[in-house]
Amino acid sequence: MSATGKNPFQHIVEPLDPKDANQQFYNLAKLGDPRYERLPFSIRVLLESAVRNCDEFLIKRSDVESILNWKQTQTQTVEVPFRPARVILQDFTGVPAVVDFAAMRDTVTKLGGDPEKINPVCPADLVIDHSIQVDFNRKSDSLQKNQDLEFERNKERFQFLKWGSKAFKNMKIIPPGSGIVHQVNLEYLARVVFNHEGFYYPDSLVGTDSHTTMIDGLGVLGWGVGGIEAEAVMLGQPISMVLPEVVGYKLHGTPDKLITSTDIVLTVTKHLRQVGVVGKFVEFFGPGVSHLSIADRATISNMCPEYGATAAFFPVDHVSVQYLEQTGREAKKVSYTTKYLKAVGMFQDYNDAAQDPDFTQVVELDLSTVVPCCSGPKRPHDRIPVSDMKKDFETCLGAKQGFKGFQVAPEHHDTVIPFHFGEKEYVLSHGSVVIAAITSCTNTSNPSVMLGAGLLAKKAIESGLSVKPYIKTSLSPGSGVVTYYLKESGVMDYLSQLGFEVVGYGCMTCIGNSGPLPDPVVEAVTKGDLVAAGVLSGNRNFEGRVHPNTRANYLASPPLVIAYAIAGTVRIDFEKEPIAINSEGKEIFLRDIWPTREEIQAVERKFVIPSMFKEVYEKIEKVNERWNSLVAPSDKLYTWDPKSTYIKSPPFFDGLTMKLQPPESITEAYVLLNFGDSVTTDHISPAGNIARNSPAARYLTDRGLSPREFNSYGSRRGNDAVMARGTFANIRLFNKLLNKQAPQTVHLPTGETLDVFDAAERYRQSGAPLLVLAGKEYGSGSSRDWAAKGPFLLGIKAVLAESYERIHRSNLVGMGVIPLEYLPGDTADSLGLSGRERYTVIIPEQLAPRTLVDVKLDTGKTFKVRMRFDTDVELTYFHHGGILNYMIRKMSQN
């Protein structure tokens, strides 16, 4: 932080409390600029950071002026730097970051620099939450067994992370078993206002998980970035960003008493998808906001990636302050937080329209119009009112293969497959629920929906209802606080009786760590080629993500997860059909057991109290004995084990010198894969199970591992050899070169069908560069740097798509893979591209942001595309061969 005479805004520094001259802040009101009070609150955070860090080198006075002039510059592609206050990581993305840092230290040493320069200067918190799987469920000891297995599988990764916590300063690690990163961030890590080195300033962050935006619900500006970009921020590099448009989302009205926050967020998600907010900030305002708790707001902010915005910001108000008190924050901290935010004009009164700032555009939602809903069966923004679920599923069943279609022949719609489980016979059909998971930071952070689920479970048990034993039920809370209040309120026993035992504290089913289904269930699903269903309270339901055997996956509130588990199928109209018939032969309808908001709020007021948060979080860094007993080395340079299948020195920096190489055109490239729209990072770099017949499985088998030791792709992200083989290994990958779903492609010179990795190896051996063709929204879904690192290792030089998800485009840039974009109106179809041509991309010596370049085909056809390097800084990274190469060269200079 700049606090010296070099900062041209030093004259606006003053004490927050006149009695304490040692605690100061940059008083933006003293800029004396009327434009400030018209800025959206989210842009004020960017401005404060620019003012405080202005050094006329990395951040200039002209950048401050650009932000102040936001109303005029927002649509002009103006680039500004942003230095967030901190970085947050989870272990799936954190392990590769620490691997990169370790390898960068080695390379800096080879280049004659000081390896300890590779060290976070920006505070970083890493929460281990993505490793645990649902191997055991429905038993009281499921939690302990799953945690034991987690350590058994991941001991080597955990030791490596523990080394990182010793070798690198400024890095805090929250051990496994503590909770989900975004909930821990909300309840514990969030500062809201920093008090550091004698200065107050707004908390802000970037994270290596796309749902980092959850923290926006508390009034802390944050969003997801690629792991590669986050590493640069940790090393002191500001983020270079285009000053965003800000869509004002006005909420008014009062939600119906039967509505949950999940219903609201799924409604908002579909609405904002239709509005079009990709690359923009969304800022919520209006009197309706005051009806939403911080947990409700955080749920809405959490799903920001699903509606495509960069951030979804709720400015701090009195409800935010009450939340800080409820979660056990110190009274002194709450006091200076409120005082500071009011002093700099960042404290909002949602009922005072005079405070509403200027926005790029305003859209509105009347909360009274929201109805109970789910989303699916393949995308989070495909919202379905619960009253339409049965009809929608049956329409999808016969519709053409796609986001809303399974293409099942009409004569097979009523297929029924009997099977034995335990000592009884059951039947499965299309739409049968086989996974029901209360999971994910999106909902488990919200006491209203969690207690709602518990009260529904209580009423269900009292009505004589149950869940069929073959359905894989699970409850994976986002923090220990959830278990605490579920037990104290008396609803945990009822959840357990329905099969929703606590199975772990982590992302679990939402990230794809759903664990195995019972063999008889898998055999029945396979035998009938059934479209079985998973229902989860998560934020992602892309094909192949939740489980290979659940082709239909629906996002739903925790109470609805239980409802569909009891019903056993998604082919039910809850308004007209009973959820079940109890042991006495009585029809029970969902409305008979559904709790009202008033019932839920009464329990919440009584049982969700500050002492719970204090008790859980006071011991969070020390409570895990297995973590405490882990022995890890303390050397500054990591000693790589050549036999390790988890941690391996990556080849990204092999042969790197201080000399820059000029960019070269891509000549006579083959297309490795040809995709349509909405190819997700789960398709590109899956996080879940490693299939036994995959290239990654062959690699691990050759090293003496059995299938039960494979673990998941996500857990192997510290090993580039596994991850390169896992790139494009999703079984639901639809490649137009094959015209079917398979993790394979056609090796064009020979016409052979091969696994994607094997085909890429053939091309590499012949020296041929590679391209990927894609449609709209390429790289949507989770923030996943291996979705860029993997293609880089396969030899892919560029991707040509109609549009990109923001974080994925940034990751491609970070790895030196060129993101090319068709010009408006052009597509692969309109240009007549089959993907079987050879492509030459002419890259000129002089490049500017968003340059147009020529693409020449071996057929003689030529067309223009845009290079999606959007800023001068991104072009600098490209000239260096990627952002990490740039940082190494910078850190190696004496």
Side-chain angles (χ1 to χ4, degrees):
M1 181 176 73
S2 180
T4 68
K6 293 180 182 178
N7 189 319
F9 297 99
Q10 197 70 25
H11 63 284
I12 67 169
V13 172
E14 64 179 43
L16 184 63
D17 183 345
K19 298 175 185 174
D20 186 0
N22 294 320
Q23 294 297 130
Q24 301 177 304
F25 74 111
Y26 282 79
N27 189 350
L28 301 183
K30 285 202 167 181
L31 289 171
D33 196 315
R35 292 174 295 179
Y36 176 65
E37 60 188 29
R38 301 310 307 156
L39 291 177
F41 284 68
S42 51
I43 300 298
R44 297 179 201 187
V45 178
L46 299 184
L47 178 68
E48 191 283 336
S49 177
V51 166
R52 177 169 37 88
N53 291 293
C54 187
D55 57 4
E56 292 294 5
F57 177 57
L58 287 173
I59 299 175
K60 301 179 180 179
R61 186 191 285 264
S62 58
D63 297 317
V64 172
E65 173 59 26
S66 293
I67 300 171
L68 270 170
N69 205 33
W70 169 85
K71 193 170 183 180
Q72 278 65 48
T73 58
Q74 57 175 303
T75 57
Q76 298 174 13
T77 319
V78 173
E79 180 185 351
V80 295
F82 174 54
R83 178 163 276 157
R86 59 190 174 98
V87 174
I88 196 162
L89 311 97
Q90 36 87 343
D91 57 301
F92 268 18
T93 51
V95 167
V98 179
V99 166
D100 287 346
F101 279 174
M104 289 169 78
R105 278 192 169 181
D106 291 345
T107 306
V108 167
T109 303
K110 289 173 188 173
L111 294 174
D114 178 4
E116 292 200 50
K117 282 187 175 180
I118 302 296
N119 192 87
V121 294
C122 179
D125 301 309
L126 192 159
V127 181
I128 301 174
D129 68 345
H130 275 53
S131 301
I132 190 165
Q133 299 186 33
V134 191
D135 291 286
F136 299 94
N137 67 314
R138 285 185 175 259
K139 294 280 172 51
S140 59
D141 61 352
S142 296
L143 172 63
Q144 187 60 53
K145 285 185 173 180
N146 287 327
Q147 289 182 334
D148 289 346
L149 258 181
E150 177 188 21
F151 258 84
E152 182 184 320
R153 288 175 175 139
N154 296 284
K155 183 178 179 183
E156 195 178 333
R157 295 173 67 242
F158 293 169
Q159 283 178 317
F160 177 70
L161 286 176
K162 200 157 191 184
W163 167 79
S165 69
K166 295 178 180 179
F168 299 106
K169 301 168 188 170
N170 251 347
M171 181 184 286
K172 177 191 288 185
I173 293 188
I174 305 297
S178 304
I180 301 174
V181 56
H182 307 305
Q183 187 162 345
V184 174
N185 192 19
L186 192 70
E187 295 175 352
Y188 174 62
L189 295 172
R191 282 74 155 179
V192 183
V193 169
F194 259 84
N195 178 6
H196 182 63
E197 294 182 349
F199 277 81
Y200 295 110
Y201 52 94
D203 188 4
S204 61
L205 68 149
V206 292
T208 58
D209 188 286
S210 50
H211 294 103
T212 298
T213 51
M214 185 171 184
I215 202 63
D216 291 338
L218 185 56
V220 176
L221 184 63
W223 62 86
V225 296
I228 305 154
E229 192 174 5
E231 290 168 32
V233 173
M234 289 163 71
L235 294 173
Q237 190 76 1
I239 286 175
S240 173
M241 63 185 292
V242 173
L243 197 61
E245 297 180 26
V246 181
V247 175
Y249 199 90
K250 186 173 185 177
L251 296 174
H252 55 89
T254 306
D256 182 88
K257 64 180 181 180
L258 298 178
I259 294 303
T260 69
S261 58
T262 315
D263 301 320
I264 296 171
V265 71
L266 295 180
T267 303
V268 169
T269 299
K270 183 176 182 180
H271 185 199
L272 285 174
R273 270 279 175 177
Q274 293 167 336
V275 170
V277 292
V278 173
K280 303 175 185 179
F281 283 4
V282 174
E283 187 166 306
F284 294 84
F285 74 109
V289 177
S290 57
H291 294 297
L292 302 177
S293 68
I294 292 302
D296 291 338
R297 299 175 195 181
T299 301
I300 294 168
S301 295
N302 178 284
M303 286 194 72
C304 175
E306 281 63 59
Y307 40 88
T310 300
F313 193 66
F314 288 84
V316 172
D317 71 339
H318 72 283
V319 176
S320 317
V321 173
Q322 289 168 2
Y323 179 82
L324 293 178
E325 292 168 344
Q326 181 191 38
T327 51
R329 264 66 169 215
E330 295 174 9
K332 181 182 177 183
K333 178 175 178 54
V334 175
S335 175
Y336 73 63
T337 295
T338 306
K339 189 173 183 179
Y340 168 79
L341 291 173
K342 286 182 176 179
V344 292
M346 295 189 197
F347 195 91
Q348 172 78 297
D349 179 352
Y350 288 101
N351 292 306
D352 181 4
Q355 281 197 25
D356 295 345
D358 294 330
F359 294 110
T360 309
Q361 76 177 108
V362 171
V363 292
E364 300 187 20
L365 175 67
D366 182 348
L367 292 171
S368 67
T369 64
V370 176
V371 298
C373 54
C374 300
S375 279
K378 301 181 185 182
R379 295 189 301 187
H381 52 278
D382 289 330
R383 172 183 161 275
I384 314 148
V386 171
S387 57
D388 293 343
M389 269 286 282
K390 181 177 182 179
K391 181 175 68 176
D392 188 84
F393 178 83
E394 290 175 347
T395 300
C396 290
L397 204 54
K400 183 181 176 184
Q401 182 69 242
F403 300 122
K404 295 288 286 186
F406 297 103
Q407 207 162 332
V408 175
E411 61 270 23
H412 296 307
H413 284 198
D414 296 318
T415 298
V416 174
I417 304 295
F419 70 101
H420 283 86
F421 186 83
E423 298 179 359
K424 288 188 176 181
E425 183 175 89
Y426 300 92
V427 297
L428 289 181
S429 57
H430 295 296
S432 288
V433 173
V434 295
I435 289 178
I438 298 176
T439 182
S440 165
C441 52
T442 308
N443 285 291
T444 67
S445 60
N446 194 326
S448 67
V449 290
M450 296 302 288
L451 288 168
L455 290 171
L456 185 139
K458 179 177 185 290
K459 293 184 178 188
I461 291 295
E462 289 170 348
S463 299
L465 305 184
S466 62
V467 175
K468 294 180 177 67
Y470 62 81
I471 296 176
K472 187 157 193 179
T473 49
S474 61
L475 168 57
S476 47
S479 80
V481 174
V482 180
T483 308
Y484 204 145
Y485 66 66
L486 289 177
K487 285 182 176 177
E488 289 295 307
S489 61
V491 298
M492 190 68 238
D493 286 344
Y494 298 102
L495 287 163
S496 298
Q497 287 179 61
L498 287 180
F500 289 90
E501 290 279 1
V502 173
V503 293
Y505 297 95
C507 299
M508 303 189 87
T509 300
C510 190
I511 190 64
N513 288 351
S514 49
L517 288 173
D519 288 341
V521 171
V522 173
E523 288 163 9
V525 170
T526 305
K527 182 179 178 181
D529 195 20
L530 297 177
V531 181
V535 185
L536 64 153
S537 64
N539 47 45
R540 296 268 163 82
N541 55 342
F542 301 125
E543 278 187 291
R545 178 184 176 100
V546 174
H547 194 281
N549 294 112
T550 57
R551 288 158 64 188
N553 295 284
Y554 292 93
L555 305 182
S557 66
L560 276 176
V561 170
I562 295 177
Y564 281 110
I566 293 169
T569 180
V570 296
R571 293 172 85 171
I572 183 172
D573 183 342
F574 284 130
E575 293 183 5
K576 298 175 182 176
E577 301 173 60
I579 189 173
I581 297 171
N582 68 13
S583 54
E584 298 172 3
K586 181 183 177 183
E587 292 185 344
I588 306 294
F589 285 81
L590 182 57
R591 58 180 171 268
D592 299 330
I593 59 173
W594 192 269
T596 65
R597 280 176 83 91
E598 289 81 1
E599 288 179 86
I600 296 165
Q601 287 167 357
V603 177
E604 184 177 350
R605 280 192 295 270
K606 185 175 180 181
F607 292 104
V608 184
I609 53 178
S611 60
M612 287 183 177
F613 293 88
K614 283 183 177 177
E615 185 175 332
V616 168
Y617 284 114
E618 276 175 355
K619 55 190 180 185
I620 191 169
E621 292 175 52
K622 309 182 198 75
V623 73
N624 191 318
E625 291 300 329
R626 297 191 67 165
W627 172 265
N628 296 341
S629 64
L630 269 182
V631 177
S634 55
D635 303 334
K636 296 302 179 186
L637 295 178
Y638 187 69
T639 304
W640 306 95
D641 178 359
K643 294 179 182 177
S644 173
T645 57
Y646 277 107
I647 306 297
K648 179 177 175 290
S649 181
F652 306 135
F653 315 121
D654 290 355
L656 182 70
T657 66
M658 293 296 288
K659 185 178 179 182
L660 289 186
Q661 300 298 320
E664 297 179 351
S665 295
I666 301 169
T667 307
E668 293 286 300
Y670 285 101
V671 171
L672 181 63
L673 295 145
N674 184 5
F675 294 127
D677 295 342
S678 295
V679 170
T680 71
T681 52
D682 280 290
H683 289 117
I684 303 168
S685 183
N689 293 335
I690 297 173
R692 296 187 181 194
N693 59 347
S694 64
R698 292 195 290 274
Y699 171 86
L700 293 171
T701 301
D702 289 346
R703 278 146 189 80
L705 273 68
S706 65
R708 72 176 297 274
E709 297 171 302
F710 287 173
N711 211 335
S712 63
Y713 282 114
S715 68
R716 298 267 177 197
R717 287 183 185 163
N719 185 311
D720 62 273
V722 174
M723 296 310 296
R725 287 162 175 79
T727 304
F728 300 112
N730 190 313
I731 62 169
R732 300 298 177 196
L733 192 75
F734 189 86
N735 174 12
K736 292 180 183 178
L737 294 178
L738 282 181
N739 210 28
K740 68 175 184 179
Q741 286 187 334
Q744 296 177 316
T745 194
V746 176
H747 180 247
L748 294 172
T750 62
E752 290 179 77
T753 296
L754 300 170
D755 288 327
V756 174
F757 175 80
D758 295 335
E761 274 294 286
R762 290 264 194 101
Y763 286 121
R764 185 185 64 78
Q765 289 164 7
S766 68
L770 296 173
L771 235 65
V772 167
L773 299 183
K776 298 182 184 71
E777 300 173 350
Y778 181 74
S780 56
S782 298
S783 160
R784 199 162 287 177
D785 55 348
W786 267 107
K789 289 176 175 177
F792 170 82
L793 291 178
L794 294 186
I796 293 168
K797 302 298 182 184
V799 177
L800 175 55
E802 291 177 51
S803 64
Y804 293 87
E805 193 277 338
R806 176 185 61 84
I807 299 175
H808 185 62
R809 186 198 64 81
S810 168
N811 272 333
L812 291 173
V813 171
M815 286 308 299
V817 177
I818 304 172
L820 301 172
E821 193 167 274
Y822 293 105
L823 299 185
D826 284 354
T827 66
D829 289 341
S830 72
L831 294 169
L833 308 181
S834 68
R836 295 179 180 272
E837 309 87 353
R838 302 283 293 274
Y839 290 68
T840 295
V841 182
I842 309 298
I843 299 177
E845 286 187 22
Q846 299 300 316
L847 290 172
R850 301 176 68 86
T851 298
L852 297 183
V853 297
D854 288 319
V855 177
K856 297 182 178 180
L857 308 184
D858 61 347
T859 60
K861 186 179 185 70
T862 300
F863 57 95
K864 288 189 180 296
V865 298
R866 188 178 302 281
M867 293 180 78
R868 284 294 311 279
F869 297 120
D870 290 355
T871 66
D872 288 322
V873 171
E874 289 187 346
L875 279 172
T876 300
Y877 296 155
F878 173 62
H879 285 297
H880 280 265
I883 190 171
L884 299 184
N885 292 359
Y886 167 79
M887 293 305 299
I888 286 173
R889 290 189 175 108
K890 182 180 175 183
M891 297 291 184
S892 299
Q893 293 170 347
N894 293 321

